C-alpha cells in the first residue's frame, strides 16, 4: 500500500481543508503516515500570507525529498495560487494545483501504483478563483479534540497588504445542510467542540441563513457541547452575535478580532474598513456584554509609513484593551497587493523591535488572563497526550490549562480548579468527578 503524508502551512482554514484531503486519499487507498516519515506522496497545503510561509514551503519540500527522494510532491493552497511561477522553479515538485481545483487534487494524482516522479510539474491553475459552488466532497478526521468546520471561503475586503482575496477569491458560503451534516457526523464520532472557520466568517450568508442562525441551528445538535468561532472581522460582529454569545450555553465566550493597527492613518492606508474608535467601542461593548470573554487580536508592525508615533498608538490600544493575547505579524510586501506601491518602508530592524515589544506585552497579557482565574473552577476539554506529566486542555474562553494526571483525559470535559498561572498556561487540579450537564457552564 502506498504511503501518503500531508502537511499544512498557515491558517486554521488550511488545517480544516487538509483533513478533507486526507480523508479522500485514505479512501483512494493510501496509508497515512506522519509528516516527516518516509512517504510515497506528500501533499503540501501552502500559505502565502508572509514571505516566511513561502520559505517554509520551500524548506518542507527539500526536507521531504531528502528522506524520500522518490516521493511524488503535490502542492496546493495559497502559494500554489499566487506563486505558481516561483513554485515551478523549485526542483522536485510533480503537481501544482491552484485553489480553484484544491478539492479535485486527489483526482489529478496518478493511481497509487503508477505514482512516480515527473520530469516537470503538471500545473492546474487559473488566475482567478471564480468557483461559486461550495459543497465539501467529504469530511476529514480532525487531529485535535476541537474539530474545525469550514463554513466560508474568500474575502471581498481587499486590505492593501493582503493576498487572500487573490489566493482564495471572493466571498462564498457553504450550504447550511452541508455544515449541519458535518457537525452531526463529528458529534456522532465523539467530538464535543467544533470551531467554525473561514476567511471572513462574519459574512456567512447562505439561502437567508446568516452566521447567527447557523449557530442557533448548530446549538440544536444533541451531544455538541461547545461551538467556537475562529477569527472574525470587527465590522461583522453585530449586537445580536454579542447577545447570543452572552446567553448561549454552547457558543464559547471567545472572540479573536483582528485590529492590525491602532493608528488612524495606518489603518486607512491598510484599507481596513473601520476606524480605531469604532474598534475600541466594539471591544468595550463585547467585554461588558459577555462575562469572562476570552479576547485575542492580530497586530501588524512595520507597515509602510508606520512612524514611531503611529506604533505608539498601536501599543497604547494593545495595552489598554483587555486582550488575553495577540498575534503579532511583521509586514512583508506581497507582489500584486496595493501596499507594494506605498513608499516610505519601515526599516526591518525597526519593525522587528516593534514586534518584540508587542510580543512581550502579549506575554504579560496571557499571564494576567491566567492569573485572573486562580481560585476559580472551570470546565476544561482535554486534548490527547501528555507533556512532563501534565494533560492539557482549554476552557470555553480559551485559557490553556495543564493538570498533573496519569489518567488519559483525551476528549473528556472535566471541572478543574485553577491553582497557578504562567505566561503560556494555567495550572489546575481536577475537581470532584464532573458529569457534563446538558447546559455547560462557562466557568
Ligand atoms: S479582511 Fe482583509 S486581511 Fe482579512 S482576508 Fe480579507 S482582505 Fe485579507
Amino acid at each position: 500500500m502506498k504511503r501518503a503524508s500531508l502537511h499544512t502551512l498557515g491558517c486554521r482554514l488550511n488545517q480544516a481543508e487538509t483533513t478533507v484531503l486526507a480523508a479522500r486519499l485514505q479512501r483512494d487507498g493510501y496509508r497515512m503516515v506522519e509528516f516527516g516519515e518516509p512517504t510515497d506522496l506528500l501533499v503540501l497545503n501552502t500559505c502565502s500570507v508572509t514571505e516566511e510561509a513561502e520559505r517554509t514551503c520551500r524548506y518542507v519540500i527539500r526536507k521531504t525529498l531528502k528522506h524520500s527522494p522518490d516521493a511524488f510532491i503535490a502542492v496546493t493552497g495559497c502559494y500554489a495560487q499566487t506563486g505558481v511561477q516561483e513554485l515551478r522553479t523549485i526542483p522536485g515538485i510533480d503537481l501544482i494545483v491552484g485553489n480553484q481545483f484544491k478539492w479535485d487534487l486527489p483526482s489529478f494524482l496518478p493511481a497509487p501504483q503508477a505514482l512516480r516522479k515527473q520530469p516537470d510539474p503538471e500545473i492546474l491553475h487559473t488566475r482567478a478563483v471564480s468557483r461559486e459552488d461550495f459543497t465539501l466532497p467529504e469530511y476529514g478526521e480532525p487531529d485535535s479534540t476541537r474539530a474545525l468546520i469550514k463554513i466560508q471561503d474568500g474575502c471581498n475586503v481587499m486590505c492593501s497588504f493582503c493576498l487572500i482575496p487573490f489566493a482564495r477569491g471572493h466571498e462564498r458560503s457553504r450550504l447550511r445542510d452541508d455544515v449541519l451534516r458535518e457537525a452531526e457526523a463529528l458529534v456522532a464520532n465523539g467530538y464535543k467542540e467544533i470551531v467554525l472557520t473561514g476567511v471572513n466568517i462574519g459574512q456567512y450568508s447562505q439561502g437567508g441563513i446568516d452566521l447567527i442562525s447557523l449557530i442557533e441551528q448548530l446549538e440544536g445538535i444533541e451531544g455538541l457541547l461547545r461551538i467556537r468561532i475562529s477569527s472574525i472581522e470587527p465590522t461583522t460582529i453585530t449586537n445580536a452575535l454579542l447577545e447570543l454569545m452572552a446567553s448561549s450555553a454552547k457558543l464559547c465566550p471567545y472572540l479573536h478580532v483582528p485590529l492590525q493597527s491602532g493608528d488612524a492613518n495606518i489603518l486607512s492606508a491598510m484599507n481596513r474598513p473601520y476606524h480605531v474608535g469604532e474598534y475600541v467601542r466594539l471591544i468595550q461593548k463585547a467585554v461588558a456584554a459577555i462575562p469572562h470573554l476570552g479576547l485575542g487580536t492580530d497586530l501588524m508592525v512595520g507597515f509602510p509609513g508606520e512612524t514611531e508615533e503611529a506604533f505608539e498608538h498601536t501599543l497604547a490600544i494593545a495595552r489598554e484593551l483587555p486582550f488575553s493575547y495577540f498575534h503579532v505579524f511583521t509586514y512583508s510586501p506581497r507582489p500584486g497587493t496595493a501596499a507594494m506601491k506605498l513608499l516610505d518602508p519601515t526599516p526591518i530592524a525597526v519593525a522587528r523591535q516593534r514586534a518584540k515589544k508587542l510580543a512581550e506585552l502579549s506575554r504579560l497579557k496571557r499571564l494576567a488572563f491566567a492569573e485572573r482565574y486562580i481560585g476559580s473552577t472551570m470546565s476544561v476539554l482535554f486534548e490527547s497526550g501528555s507533556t512532563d506529566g501534565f494533560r492539557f486542555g482549554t476552557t470555553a474562553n480559551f485559557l490553556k490549562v495543564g493538570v498533573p494526571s496519569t489518567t488519559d483525559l483525551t476528549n473528556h470535559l472535566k471541572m478543574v480548579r485553577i491553582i497557578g498561572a504562567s505566561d503560556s498556561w494555567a495550572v489546575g487540579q481536577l475537581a470532584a468527578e464532573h458529569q457534563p450537564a446538558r447546559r455547560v457552564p462557562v466557568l
Side-chain angles (χ1 to χ4, degrees):
M1 201 180 221
K2 291 281 182 177
R3 302 156 297 181
S5 78
L6 291 98
H7 190 58
T8 313
L9 303 174
C11 62
R12 280 180 174 181
L13 186 55
N14 262 11
Q15 287 168 25
E17 291 170 346
T18 301
T19 64
V20 176
L21 290 173
R24 168 79 190 276
L25 291 173
Q26 244 169 331
R27 207 190 64 204
D28 289 353
Y30 287 94
R31 178 167 65 82
M32 292 299 142
V33 293
E34 290 288 321
F35 170 69
E37 287 180 16
T39 189
D40 302 299
L41 166 67
L42 171 74
V43 176
L44 182 56
N45 193 3
T46 59
C47 170
S48 64
V49 172
T50 64
E51 268 177 347
E52 198 177 306
E54 291 187 8
R55 270 198 300 274
T56 314
C57 170
R58 288 164 179 270
Y59 168 73
V60 163
I61 293 168
R62 273 202 313 272
K63 189 175 155 196
T64 301
L65 288 173
K66 219 169 187 179
H67 60 67
S68 303
D70 297 326
F72 188 98
I73 307 276
V75 182
T76 187
C78 293
Y79 190 30
Q81 183 62 35
T82 60
V84 64
Q85 297 313 334
E86 293 80 14
L87 270 178
R88 68 197 315 169
T89 66
I90 301 180
I93 298 180
D94 303 287
L95 177 64
I96 301 171
V97 180
N99 274 339
Q100 172 106 324
F101 308 110
K102 189 184 263 189
W103 303 126
D104 307 319
L105 185 148
S107 51
F108 299 135
L109 293 169
Q113 306 73 15
L115 205 63
R116 54 187 57 88
K117 294 208 71 61
Q118 304 296 309
D120 293 301
E122 186 183 353
I123 298 173
L124 294 128
H125 181 274
T126 49
R127 255 179 85 86
V129 181
S130 54
R131 220 165 167 158
E132 295 295 340
D133 56 318
F134 198 161
T135 308
L136 290 190
E138 51 206 292
Y139 320 132
E141 181 67 16
D143 48 13
S144 150
T145 55
R146 288 195 308 277
L148 307 175
I149 297 188
K150 177 177 171 175
I151 63 165
Q152 188 274 343
D153 205 345
C155 184
N156 296 351
V157 180
M158 301 298 279
C159 299
S160 63
F161 56 82
C162 183
L163 261 182
I164 285 180
F166 305 101
R168 286 186 173 271
H170 61 83
E171 288 163 1
R172 55 219 185 270
S173 298
R174 190 172 169 199
L175 296 173
R176 189 260 330 247
D177 289 353
D178 200 11
V179 175
L180 292 179
R181 263 204 315 275
E182 178 169 2
E184 281 160 3
L186 286 163
V187 171
N189 279 339
Y191 289 92
K192 299 183 172 81
E193 176 173 330
I194 58 169
V195 184
L196 304 180
T197 64
V199 173
N200 193 348
I201 61 170
Q203 294 290 56
Y204 180 87
S205 171
Q206 182 60 258
I209 308 276
D210 63 4
L211 180 64
I212 294 175
S213 1
L214 182 72
I215 293 169
E216 284 169 345
Q217 295 187 26
L218 287 164
E219 284 180 312
I221 297 176
E222 185 83 19
L224 177 60
L225 301 182
R226 285 183 183 174
I227 302 163
R228 190 181 298 284
I229 51 179
S230 61
S231 182
I232 182 162
E233 284 297 313
T235 46
T236 63
I237 298 177
T238 58
N239 287 342
L241 180 64
L242 297 182
E243 281 161 26
L244 180 63
M245 196 171 274
S247 61
S248 171
K250 293 190 177 183
L251 181 60
C252 294
Y254 167 73
L255 285 171
H256 183 99
V257 191
L259 166 64
Q260 305 302 3
S261 171
D263 181 78
N265 292 333
I266 295 295
L267 215 49
S268 157
M270 285 176 164
N271 200 28
R272 298 285 289 166
Y274 50 85
H275 297 292
V276 179
E278 288 167 337
Y279 183 94
V280 171
R281 282 191 292 282
L282 171 75
I283 297 301
Q284 287 167 341
K285 191 163 58 173
V287 171
I290 304 162
H292 303 292
L293 179 69
L295 185 66
T297 193
D298 294 335
L299 298 172
M300 181 179 282
V301 293
F303 192 78
E306 188 188 58
T307 59
E308 197 53 38
E309 192 188 0
F311 173 66
E312 285 298 327
H313 290 152
T314 302
L315 196 59
I317 288 190
R319 200 178 283 129
E320 279 157 28
L321 290 180
F323 293 117
S324 25
Y325 68 92
F326 18 90
H327 294 152
V328 184
F329 300 90
T330 303
Y331 169 77
S332 58
R334 315 304 296 126
T337 57
M340 268 296 277
K341 300 194 189 94
L342 295 178
L343 306 172
D344 199 9
T346 306
I348 188 68
V350 173
R352 287 206 180 117
Q353 261 319 101
R354 291 176 184 171
K356 223 169 138 187
K357 261 193 194 169
L358 282 173
E360 172 59 12
L361 183 56
S362 177
R363 190 184 70 74
L364 297 174
K365 293 264 181 184
R366 276 187 197 275
L367 177 62
F369 185 57
E371 280 176 340
R372 184 173 146 194
Y373 290 102
I374 292 177
S376 302
T377 299
M378 307 176 84
S379 184
V380 175
L381 181 63
F382 283 89
E383 295 289 331
S384 59
S386 69
T387 309
D388 299 332
F390 280 85
R391 310 266 166 186
F392 289 91
T394 44
T395 62
N397 62 356
F398 216 51
L399 175 66
K400 184 174 175 183
V401 178
V403 164
S405 174
T406 50
T407 313
D408 183 5
L409 300 172
T410 310
N411 205 26
H412 284 278
L413 197 67
K414 295 278 184 190
M415 294 308 283
V416 172
R417 188 171 161 73
I418 307 299
I419 56 169
S422 76
D423 55 15
S424 46
W425 46 284
V427 186
Q429 265 176 350
L430 288 178
E433 205 46 38
H434 168 60
Q435 289 299 321
R438 275 173 63 84
R439 290 179 70 80
V440 182
V442 167
L443 281 177

